[in-house]
Amino acid sequence: MNPFKFGTIVQDDFFTDRKNELAELCHKLDSENHVVLISPRRFGKSSLVFKALSQMDRPQICLDLQYVMSVGNFSEQLLRAIFKLYPFEKIKHLFSHFRVAPTLSTNAVTGALDVSFQPVANSQILLEDAMNLLQKVAQQSEQRMIVVLDEFQEVVKIQDGFDKQLRSLMQRQQGVNYILLGSQESMMEEIFEKKKSPFYHFGQIMRLNKIPYQDFYDYIYLRLPDIDETAKGQIADNILQFTQCHPYYTQQLASQVWELIVYRGVIDHVVDSAIEALQCLHDLDFERLWLTQNRTDRATLKRLAACLPASAQQPSSTVQSSLKRLVRQGYVVRTEVYAIEDPFFRRWILSKIN
């Protein structure tokens, strides 16, 4: 079986290192504090969190805010998650204080309990009742509950005032650890570090960086097929030189390399062949992405792809606006410097402008 995995939550033998980060996260969750986990997209935040949760015998609820449409929808999703933990028959007595009764039905496909509210219901009341129920079931548990809210920066987009109301309810809860994940770094920093923000200093901030080169090298080397050791070492290094140790793209490229070696017997220039195959696979997606960009952002992407200063031939204010926009959209990340997030997209741009 291909030993490299990407695109989904990575667990068990597919999980790459992160020993220090895993120990730190578990340590933080042993306290009564909340955790704010920040990193660019596809750095493995969710995999790290689920790895930590798998080691804890505690009730867990996970919601992704990018799929929440409204405050009422958040309340519905929270109740569904509670019902996955506790059968309705065991907690139905806790609904006596609900001011708006939810409509419950069984999902014909999954068999799970579905929850909905009347569209005219007051969203503030729905949220208060759902969060109060969460508090009550948490108090009944022998272990503190863990609630994971992924893509938390979306909290400011869902509905005006939602962040203030949610913060006021969360701060009064006992027996709950919140893990708040976010991939848009500037927005997460504004939410948790700006004094006027409702979530100012709400939890301990933890930043997830790239996996160190040597750790990733060892991981890849041990999982490549049984070929000449020198060739194997060169292949592992070539993969990391191209991906710059980006967790997602490293796993993706290593997976393609493994396939080419095992099923096609390719060894010479196998990394170049794998890169070419993946670039061709996503050619149409990259073209569509490129066409959505304005001329200023295209110029910025071109210069970043060529490793040139993005500010050349453009006013600094224009460049900064372009970079901020591209970072917010997830196409550019800033670590030590600004860089295009997807190395395959970077190579695609270079192939088109040269």
Side-chain angles (χ1 to χ4, degrees):
M1 184 173 65
N2 193 316
F4 301 102
K5 185 178 180 181
F6 61 97
T8 58
I9 299 297
V10 177
Q11 292 292 321
D12 302 323
D13 293 339
F14 295 102
F15 190 78
T16 315
D17 192 63
R18 297 292 193 196
K19 295 178 182 178
N20 294 334
E21 295 93 335
L22 181 61
E24 180 183 353
L25 179 57
C26 291
H27 175 72
K28 292 180 185 299
L29 293 175
D30 279 337
S31 70
E32 295 188 1
N33 297 311
H34 308 300
V35 180
V36 178
L37 185 56
I38 303 175
S39 80
R41 293 186 314 145
R42 300 173 175 174
F43 264 44
K45 294 185 297 297
S46 297
S47 294
L48 176 65
V49 168
F50 280 91
K51 181 71 171 180
L53 296 184
S54 70
Q55 299 181 1
M56 298 181 177
D57 185 22
R58 293 166 58 179
Q60 304 159 9
I61 285 177
C62 302
L63 298 181
D64 191 333
L65 294 194
Q66 68 180 339
Y67 301 118
V68 171
M69 301 296 106
S70 65
V71 175
N73 183 234
F74 176 87
S75 305
E76 293 169 351
Q77 291 196 34
L78 180 57
L79 289 182
R80 291 190 198 111
I82 292 174
F83 289 143
K84 287 182 180 179
L85 282 179
Y86 306 97
F88 176 70
E89 290 299 320
K90 290 188 176 181
I91 61 173
K92 63 181 181 181
H93 63 284
L94 299 178
F95 280 82
S96 60
H97 298 293
F98 264 59
R99 288 163 288 181
V100 178
T103 300
L104 306 179
S105 59
T106 301
N107 188 302
V109 177
T110 65
L113 199 60
D114 232 338
V115 182
S116 62
F117 290 101
Q118 294 296 326
V120 295
N122 185 304
S123 62
Q124 180 174 342
I125 292 176
L126 301 183
L127 181 62
E128 290 176 355
D129 286 351
M131 292 292 284
N132 288 337
L133 177 64
L134 176 65
Q135 171 67 79
K136 291 175 182 177
V137 296
Q139 289 176 331
Q140 292 183 357
S141 174
E142 296 180 358
Q143 299 281 347
R144 284 194 314 280
M145 179 178 289
I146 299 175
V147 178
V148 180
L149 300 181
D150 203 353
E151 297 299 345
F152 189 76
Q153 70 275 347
E154 298 297 319
V155 72
V156 299
K157 302 178 184 179
I158 293 172
Q159 190 170 309
D160 288 343
F162 177 47
D163 55 340
K164 295 180 181 178
Q165 187 183 4
L166 187 62
R167 172 68 168 85
S168 67
L169 293 168
M170 290 167 66
Q171 70 181 1
R172 295 198 296 265
Q173 291 181 330
Q174 301 293 322
V176 179
N177 285 111
Y178 279 96
I179 308 178
L180 310 178
L181 288 69
S183 57
Q184 295 186 21
E185 296 178 84
S186 59
M187 291 183 66
M188 290 291 285
E189 289 170 356
E190 187 168 328
I191 290 171
F192 293 102
E193 297 183 358
K194 188 176 181 180
K195 287 188 176 181
K196 292 184 179 181
S197 170
F199 281 92
Y200 175 67
H201 284 185
F202 177 75
Q204 300 180 71
I205 292 181
M206 181 176 172
R207 298 181 184 275
L208 197 61
N209 298 312
K210 292 180 180 178
I211 297 171
Y213 171 88
Q214 191 60 51
D215 292 339
F216 229 159
Y217 177 93
D218 294 341
Y219 175 89
I220 296 169
Y221 184 90
L222 291 172
R223 286 161 177 76
L224 285 173
D226 186 16
I227 59 176
D228 177 77
E229 292 186 2
T230 301
K232 189 186 295 188
Q234 188 62 58
I235 289 170
D237 179 69
N238 289 345
I239 290 172
L240 293 171
Q241 291 299 328
F242 178 79
T243 64
Q244 292 298 296
C245 294
H246 189 296
Y248 176 89
Y249 297 110
T250 299
Q251 292 272 15
Q252 183 183 33
L253 181 53
S255 175
Q256 183 69 18
V257 166
W258 189 91
E259 296 280 340
L260 289 176
I261 295 174
V262 172
Y263 294 115
R264 298 190 183 180
V266 179
I267 296 179
D268 293 339
H269 307 293
V270 65
V271 176
D272 291 336
S273 298
I275 292 170
E276 184 68 29
L278 289 170
Q279 182 182 322
C280 291
L281 178 65
H282 296 290
D283 181 77
L284 183 58
D285 295 328
F286 291 152
E287 184 176 354
R288 288 172 177 167
L289 189 159
W290 183 256
L291 293 175
T292 64
Q293 305 301 321
N294 60 42
R295 295 179 65 86
T296 300
D297 291 350
R298 288 181 189 178
T300 301
L301 288 169
K302 283 182 179 181
R303 299 195 68 81
L304 290 176
C307 297
L308 297 173
S311 58
Q313 301 178 345
Q314 292 182 346
S316 60
S317 60
T318 301
V319 173
Q320 287 303 313
S321 297
S322 176
L323 288 170
K324 287 181 180 179
R325 184 163 52 248
L326 291 168
V327 169
R328 186 170 61 251
Q329 294 170 347
Y331 303 132
V332 169
V333 294
R334 183 177 184 181
T335 50
E336 295 83 6
V337 295
Y338 286 104
I340 294 175
E341 188 255 357
D342 185 342
F344 298 100
F345 183 41
R346 173 180 177 271
R347 189 176 185 274
W348 182 89
I349 294 173
L350 290 173
S351 71
K352 299 299 180 182
I353 64 177
N354 290 336

